[in-house]
Amino acid sequence: MKFEDYRIAESIKKALSELKFKKPTDIQFKAITPILNGEDVLAIAQTGTGKTAAFVIPAIEMVLQEKKRHADAHIRCLTLVPTRELAVQISKVFEEIGKYSKLKVACLHGGVEQEKQIQSLTAGADVLVTTPGRMFDLIHQGFADISKLKMLILDEADLMLDLGFYKDVTDTLKHIPKKRQTLFFSATIDKKIKKLAYSVVKNAIRIQISPKNPVAKNIDHAVVFVEMDDKRFFLENILKEYENKKFVVFVRTKVRAERVVKAMERVELKSVFLHGGIEQKERFKILEAFRNGEERVLVTTDVAARGIDIPDVEYVINYDLPDNPENYVHRVGRTGRGRNRGQALSFCSDTEVLLLEAIEEYTGEEILQYEVKPEDYDQIIFGSEDSSNDWKRLMKQFETDEWLDK
Ligand code: ADP
Ligand code: MG
């Protein structure tokens, strides 16, 4: 089936054709029709498989239908997301696919001034994409009204229903009509979250694609055992070996993100860090520079683990393993988007073996181990251009000499 054959407005088809979206992806094929039929849907499909358009296309169609029936302007569709970057990204997909549909999209998120966001609301938004905090601020100030919406979408639904956001979601439910359509989308979902989802809506249809291993099938992922202190040499080695490729490097903390960037600077490798402690305008700028290729290496925390769609990222490095196994799936999912293939490599130190086991239990498969021979391991350390590494070379030299003496 092609998008041409769908019961959707010509204005949507025209935009899709401009975006070169000809055929729906699997999840789009399975989800769009039930959503157009008004069903509640819980959709689970791997990272990079086009979940955004799977809800954006039928959501825009719904808005157009509704506007034909009642001309008055109000928010008809609300999409809640966990991060500011994702709010911007998804509102852009609404704008692109709604380009010829006279769709008015408002995007709200914290960290910036309210004025422009208020203007987009008072201009009569049809669709709202937002992180919860700013939305509630603007509801309480009387600028945002979601009381008449027809459709609620939770993207990264498992995270939105988890501890950090659950109250926001239940508070949202108090502001919106009981009679509405509710959609949940994610790449990962567990039993507990599924239960919560079904407590929000009774008869949601579950649509699940490739449930066995949640890691997207076009990602080759492996793990390499590296001592904690040697991680930077391994990163240096890989960044130099693949000098034209785009990398996302995940670390455990903000401080570590900054340290890794400094360590790479010492060996003349340019990278940039992104984390939740940076001013929001700067965060957007950094991500944009990475998106448009001005920056090649993005060192970041789990703030960028979910949803971010940058199609030409070739490599994900887990410089530190994530604390929760779902985030492994989301982090490696920043590569291998759409039809692209992706590579992911995790650095596992002695202290992280338990985390690795938890990830393997979660994905249901052992992760391929990338074997490094001892002489190659030494070579990676010796080969570093980091002069602060000299003592290490000396030690190694000493060990080797000693061995030679014997
Ligand atoms: P997910 O939310 O499942 O991780 P996204 O919605 O971010 O994935 O989509 C991943 C990529 O696939 C995006 O770059 C998007 O433009 C592209 N894409 C989505 N649907 C199609 C389609 N039908 N044809 C071609 N490309 C598509
Ligand atoms: Mg997504």
Side-chain angles (χ1 to χ4, degrees), residues 42 44 158 161 188-199 206 208 326 362:
L42 169 64
I44 303 150
D158 58 325
L161 291 169
T188 54
I189 203 140
D190 62 19
K191 282 206 186 99
K192 185 182 122 215
I193 302 293
K194 221 173 271 173
K195 249 196 186 158
L196 284 174
Y198 285 115
S199 74
R206 189 167 120 204
Q208 190 155 350
E326 292 96 74
Y362 179 76

PDB file of all heavy atoms in Angstrom, residues 42 44 158 161 188-199 206 208 326 362:
ATOM      1  N   LEU A  42      -2.010   1.359  21.487  1.00  0.00           N
ATOM      2  CA  LEU A  42      -0.724   1.269  22.183  1.00  0.00           C
ATOM      3  C   LEU A  42       0.238   0.649  21.179  1.00  0.00           C
ATOM      4  O   LEU A  42       0.108  -0.529  20.848  1.00  0.00           O
ATOM      5  CB  LEU A  42      -0.889   0.373  23.418  1.00  0.00           C
ATOM      6  CG  LEU A  42       0.356  -0.081  24.168  1.00  0.00           C
ATOM      7  CD1 LEU A  42       1.082   1.110  24.770  1.00  0.00           C
ATOM      8  CD2 LEU A  42      -0.026  -1.044  25.297  1.00  0.00           C
ATOM      9  N   ILE A  44       3.995  -0.324  19.788  1.00  0.00           N
ATOM     10  CA  ILE A  44       5.385  -0.557  20.185  1.00  0.00           C
ATOM     11  C   ILE A  44       6.163  -0.991  18.954  1.00  0.00           C
ATOM     12  O   ILE A  44       5.825  -1.997  18.316  1.00  0.00           O
ATOM     13  CB  ILE A  44       5.464  -1.658  21.261  1.00  0.00           C
ATOM     14  CG1 ILE A  44       4.601  -1.258  22.461  1.00  0.00           C
ATOM     15  CG2 ILE A  44       6.914  -1.869  21.711  1.00  0.00           C
ATOM     16  CD1 ILE A  44       4.039  -2.438  23.192  1.00  0.00           C
ATOM     17  N   ASP A 158       6.325   4.884  27.633  1.00  0.00           N
ATOM     18  CA  ASP A 158       6.748   4.199  28.864  1.00  0.00           C
ATOM     19  C   ASP A 158       7.397   5.186  29.831  1.00  0.00           C
ATOM     20  O   ASP A 158       7.158   5.122  31.036  1.00  0.00           O
ATOM     21  CB  ASP A 158       7.692   3.036  28.558  1.00  0.00           C
ATOM     22  CG  ASP A 158       8.922   3.478  27.796  1.00  0.00           C
ATOM     23  OD1 ASP A 158       8.808   4.389  26.963  1.00  0.00           O
ATOM     24  OD2 ASP A 158      10.005   2.925  28.055  1.00  0.00           O
ATOM     25  N   LEU A 161       4.792   7.410  31.405  1.00  0.00           N
ATOM     26  CA  LEU A 161       3.961   6.762  32.429  1.00  0.00           C
ATOM     27  C   LEU A 161       4.794   6.313  33.627  1.00  0.00           C
ATOM     28  O   LEU A 161       4.279   5.763  34.590  1.00  0.00           O
ATOM     29  CB  LEU A 161       3.223   5.558  31.833  1.00  0.00           C
ATOM     30  CG  LEU A 161       2.132   5.901  30.822  1.00  0.00           C
ATOM     31  CD1 LEU A 161       1.661   4.655  30.102  1.00  0.00           C
ATOM     32  CD2 LEU A 161       0.958   6.590  31.507  1.00  0.00           C
ATOM     33  N   THR A 188      10.002   0.759  23.768  1.00  0.00           N
ATOM     34  CA  THR A 188      10.124  -0.166  24.897  1.00  0.00           C
ATOM     35  C   THR A 188       8.918   0.012  25.799  1.00  0.00           C
ATOM     36  O   THR A 188       8.443   1.127  26.014  1.00  0.00           O
ATOM     37  CB  THR A 188      11.372   0.152  25.748  1.00  0.00           C
ATOM     38  OG1 THR A 188      11.315   1.524  26.137  1.00  0.00           O
ATOM     39  CG2 THR A 188      12.655  -0.119  24.987  1.00  0.00           C
ATOM     40  N   ILE A 189       8.451  -1.098  26.309  1.00  0.00           N
ATOM     41  CA  ILE A 189       7.346  -0.988  27.264  1.00  0.00           C
ATOM     42  C   ILE A 189       7.370  -2.254  28.108  1.00  0.00           C
ATOM     43  O   ILE A 189       7.644  -3.321  27.597  1.00  0.00           O
ATOM     44  CB  ILE A 189       6.002  -0.784  26.527  1.00  0.00           C
ATOM     45  CG1 ILE A 189       4.970  -0.125  27.432  1.00  0.00           C
ATOM     46  CG2 ILE A 189       5.463  -2.070  25.941  1.00  0.00           C
ATOM     47  CD1 ILE A 189       4.128   0.897  26.736  1.00  0.00           C
ATOM     48  N   ASP A 190       7.167  -2.113  29.408  1.00  0.00           N
ATOM     49  CA  ASP A 190       7.151  -3.342  30.204  1.00  0.00           C
ATOM     50  C   ASP A 190       5.748  -3.558  30.772  1.00  0.00           C
ATOM     51  O   ASP A 190       4.839  -2.762  30.559  1.00  0.00           O
ATOM     52  CB  ASP A 190       8.221  -3.318  31.292  1.00  0.00           C
ATOM     53  CG  ASP A 190       7.993  -2.187  32.285  1.00  0.00           C
ATOM     54  OD1 ASP A 190       6.852  -1.675  32.350  1.00  0.00           O
ATOM     55  OD2 ASP A 190       8.935  -1.810  32.975  1.00  0.00           O
ATOM     56  N   LYS A 191       5.625  -4.682  31.516  1.00  0.00           N
ATOM     57  CA  LYS A 191       4.285  -5.073  31.988  1.00  0.00           C
ATOM     58  C   LYS A 191       3.648  -4.004  32.852  1.00  0.00           C
ATOM     59  O   LYS A 191       2.477  -3.681  32.702  1.00  0.00           O
ATOM     60  CB  LYS A 191       4.396  -6.377  32.787  1.00  0.00           C
ATOM     61  CG  LYS A 191       4.521  -7.587  31.874  1.00  0.00           C
ATOM     62  CD  LYS A 191       3.994  -8.827  32.594  1.00  0.00           C
ATOM     63  CE  LYS A 191       4.243 -10.069  31.761  1.00  0.00           C
ATOM     64  NZ  LYS A 191       5.433 -10.829  32.192  1.00  0.00           N
ATOM     65  N   LYS A 192       4.467  -3.449  33.737  1.00  0.00           N
ATOM     66  CA  LYS A 192       3.937  -2.463  34.684  1.00  0.00           C
ATOM     67  C   LYS A 192       3.377  -1.255  33.920  1.00  0.00           C
ATOM     68  O   LYS A 192       2.276  -0.766  34.191  1.00  0.00           O
ATOM     69  CB  LYS A 192       5.071  -2.032  35.612  1.00  0.00           C
ATOM     70  CG  LYS A 192       4.634  -1.119  36.714  1.00  0.00           C
ATOM     71  CD  LYS A 192       5.825  -0.681  37.566  1.00  0.00           C
ATOM     72  CE  LYS A 192       5.932   0.815  37.563  1.00  0.00           C
ATOM     73  NZ  LYS A 192       7.289   1.327  37.593  1.00  0.00           N
ATOM     74  N   ILE A 193       4.159  -0.809  32.943  1.00  0.00           N
ATOM     75  CA  ILE A 193       3.750   0.360  32.183  1.00  0.00           C
ATOM     76  C   ILE A 193       2.526   0.040  31.323  1.00  0.00           C
ATOM     77  O   ILE A 193       1.621   0.867  31.155  1.00  0.00           O
ATOM     78  CB  ILE A 193       4.921   0.836  31.293  1.00  0.00           C
ATOM     79  CG1 ILE A 193       6.150   1.160  32.151  1.00  0.00           C
ATOM     80  CG2 ILE A 193       4.524   2.032  30.448  1.00  0.00           C
ATOM     81  CD1 ILE A 193       6.023   2.338  33.052  1.00  0.00           C
ATOM     82  N   LYS A 194       2.510  -1.189  30.804  1.00  0.00           N
ATOM     83  CA  LYS A 194       1.361  -1.595  30.003  1.00  0.00           C
ATOM     84  C   LYS A 194       0.087  -1.502  30.845  1.00  0.00           C
ATOM     85  O   LYS A 194      -0.933  -1.004  30.414  1.00  0.00           O
ATOM     86  CB  LYS A 194       1.577  -3.037  29.534  1.00  0.00           C
ATOM     87  CG  LYS A 194       1.147  -3.265  28.105  1.00  0.00           C
ATOM     88  CD  LYS A 194       1.533  -4.646  27.630  1.00  0.00           C
ATOM     89  CE  LYS A 194       2.911  -4.693  27.024  1.00  0.00           C
ATOM     90  NZ  LYS A 194       3.364  -6.060  26.702  1.00  0.00           N
ATOM     91  N   LYS A 195       0.198  -1.956  32.099  1.00  0.00           N
ATOM     92  CA  LYS A 195      -0.943  -1.892  33.016  1.00  0.00           C
ATOM     93  C   LYS A 195      -1.380  -0.447  33.210  1.00  0.00           C
ATOM     94  O   LYS A 195      -2.582  -0.146  33.172  1.00  0.00           O
ATOM     95  CB  LYS A 195      -0.528  -2.471  34.373  1.00  0.00           C
ATOM     96  CG  LYS A 195      -1.199  -3.773  34.682  1.00  0.00           C
ATOM     97  CD  LYS A 195      -1.026  -4.047  36.155  1.00  0.00           C
ATOM     98  CE  LYS A 195      -1.553  -5.426  36.499  1.00  0.00           C
ATOM     99  NZ  LYS A 195      -0.951  -5.907  37.739  1.00  0.00           N
ATOM    100  N   LEU A 196      -0.410   0.425  33.432  1.00  0.00           N
ATOM    101  CA  LEU A 196      -0.735   1.840  33.626  1.00  0.00           C
ATOM    102  C   LEU A 196      -1.424   2.398  32.393  1.00  0.00           C
ATOM    103  O   LEU A 196      -2.404   3.138  32.491  1.00  0.00           O
ATOM    104  CB  LEU A 196       0.534   2.642  33.912  1.00  0.00           C
ATOM    105  CG  LEU A 196       1.115   2.496  35.311  1.00  0.00           C
ATOM    106  CD1 LEU A 196       2.442   3.228  35.413  1.00  0.00           C
ATOM    107  CD2 LEU A 196       0.135   3.073  36.337  1.00  0.00           C
ATOM    108  N   ALA A 197      -0.900   2.012  31.214  1.00  0.00           N
ATOM    109  CA  ALA A 197      -1.505   2.490  29.967  1.00  0.00           C
ATOM    110  C   ALA A 197      -2.964   2.049  29.905  1.00  0.00           C
ATOM    111  O   ALA A 197      -3.849   2.838  29.585  1.00  0.00           O
ATOM    112  CB  ALA A 197      -0.733   1.972  28.760  1.00  0.00           C
ATOM    113  N   TYR A 198      -3.208   0.788  30.263  1.00  0.00           N
ATOM    114  CA  TYR A 198      -4.585   0.296  30.205  1.00  0.00           C
ATOM    115  C   TYR A 198      -5.456   0.884  31.314  1.00  0.00           C
ATOM    116  O   TYR A 198      -6.671   0.823  31.240  1.00  0.00           O
ATOM    117  CB  TYR A 198      -4.617  -1.236  30.214  1.00  0.00           C
ATOM    118  CG  TYR A 198      -4.196  -1.814  28.878  1.00  0.00           C
ATOM    119  CD1 TYR A 198      -3.042  -2.567  28.745  1.00  0.00           C
ATOM    120  CD2 TYR A 198      -4.956  -1.568  27.735  1.00  0.00           C
ATOM    121  CE1 TYR A 198      -2.646  -3.076  27.509  1.00  0.00           C
ATOM    122  CE2 TYR A 198      -4.575  -2.061  26.500  1.00  0.00           C
ATOM    123  CZ  TYR A 198      -3.419  -2.821  26.391  1.00  0.00           C
ATOM    124  OH  TYR A 198      -3.039  -3.308  25.178  1.00  0.00           O
ATOM    125  N   SER A 199      -4.818   1.457  32.340  1.00  0.00           N
ATOM    126  CA  SER A 199      -5.637   2.120  33.350  1.00  0.00           C
ATOM    127  C   SER A 199      -6.059   3.509  32.854  1.00  0.00           C
ATOM    128  O   SER A 199      -7.037   4.079  33.320  1.00  0.00           O
ATOM    129  CB  SER A 199      -4.877   2.227  34.676  1.00  0.00           C
ATOM    130  OG  SER A 199      -3.876   3.220  34.578  1.00  0.00           O
ATOM    131  N   ARG A 206      -3.493  -3.171  20.963  1.00  0.00           N
ATOM    132  CA  ARG A 206      -2.047  -3.194  21.041  1.00  0.00           C
ATOM    133  C   ARG A 206      -1.479  -3.568  19.684  1.00  0.00           C
ATOM    134  O   ARG A 206      -1.876  -4.549  19.088  1.00  0.00           O
ATOM    135  CB  ARG A 206      -1.613  -4.214  22.080  1.00  0.00           C
ATOM    136  CG  ARG A 206      -0.156  -4.116  22.353  1.00  0.00           C
ATOM    137  CD  ARG A 206       0.154  -4.910  23.585  1.00  0.00           C
ATOM    138  NE  ARG A 206       1.101  -5.950  23.226  1.00  0.00           N
ATOM    139  CZ  ARG A 206       1.249  -7.068  23.902  1.00  0.00           C
ATOM    140  NH1 ARG A 206       0.473  -7.319  24.926  1.00  0.00           N
ATOM    141  NH2 ARG A 206       2.151  -7.931  23.547  1.00  0.00           N
ATOM    142  N   GLN A 208       2.149  -4.310  17.989  1.00  0.00           N
ATOM    143  CA  GLN A 208       3.554  -4.495  18.359  1.00  0.00           C
ATOM    144  C   GLN A 208       4.303  -5.073  17.171  1.00  0.00           C
ATOM    145  O   GLN A 208       3.858  -6.027  16.547  1.00  0.00           O
ATOM    146  CB  GLN A 208       3.627  -5.439  19.556  1.00  0.00           C
ATOM    147  CG  GLN A 208       4.992  -5.509  20.154  1.00  0.00           C
ATOM    148  CD  GLN A 208       4.927  -5.918  21.632  1.00  0.00           C
ATOM    149  OE1 GLN A 208       3.863  -5.973  22.234  1.00  0.00           O
ATOM    150  NE2 GLN A 208       6.079  -6.199  22.200  1.00  0.00           N
ATOM    151  N   GLU A 326      16.476  -0.210  29.527  1.00  0.00           N
ATOM    152  CA  GLU A 326      15.717   0.368  28.396  1.00  0.00           C
ATOM    153  C   GLU A 326      16.555   1.413  27.694  1.00  0.00           C
ATOM    154  O   GLU A 326      16.515   1.536  26.475  1.00  0.00           O
ATOM    155  CB  GLU A 326      14.438   1.083  28.849  1.00  0.00           C
ATOM    156  CG  GLU A 326      13.358   0.217  29.396  1.00  0.00           C
ATOM    157  CD  GLU A 326      13.428   0.180  30.908  1.00  0.00           C
ATOM    158  OE1 GLU A 326      13.062   1.173  31.535  1.00  0.00           O
ATOM    159  OE2 GLU A 326      13.860  -0.852  31.457  1.00  0.00           O
ATOM    160  N   TYR A 362      17.476  -7.981  29.643  1.00  0.00           N
ATOM    161  CA  TYR A 362      16.374  -7.182  29.106  1.00  0.00           C
ATOM    162  C   TYR A 362      16.163  -7.416  27.614  1.00  0.00           C
ATOM    163  O   TYR A 362      15.034  -7.585  27.156  1.00  0.00           O
ATOM    164  CB  TYR A 362      16.632  -5.696  29.384  1.00  0.00           C
ATOM    165  CG  TYR A 362      15.568  -4.807  28.840  1.00  0.00           C
ATOM    166  CD1 TYR A 362      14.343  -4.699  29.487  1.00  0.00           C
ATOM    167  CD2 TYR A 362      15.772  -4.106  27.660  1.00  0.00           C
ATOM    168  CE1 TYR A 362      13.346  -3.906  28.976  1.00  0.00           C
ATOM    169  CE2 TYR A 362      14.775  -3.303  27.138  1.00  0.00           C
ATOM    170  CZ  TYR A 362      13.569  -3.206  27.800  1.00  0.00           C
ATOM    171  OH  TYR A 362      12.584  -2.422  27.282  1.00  0.00           O
TER     172      TYR A 362
END
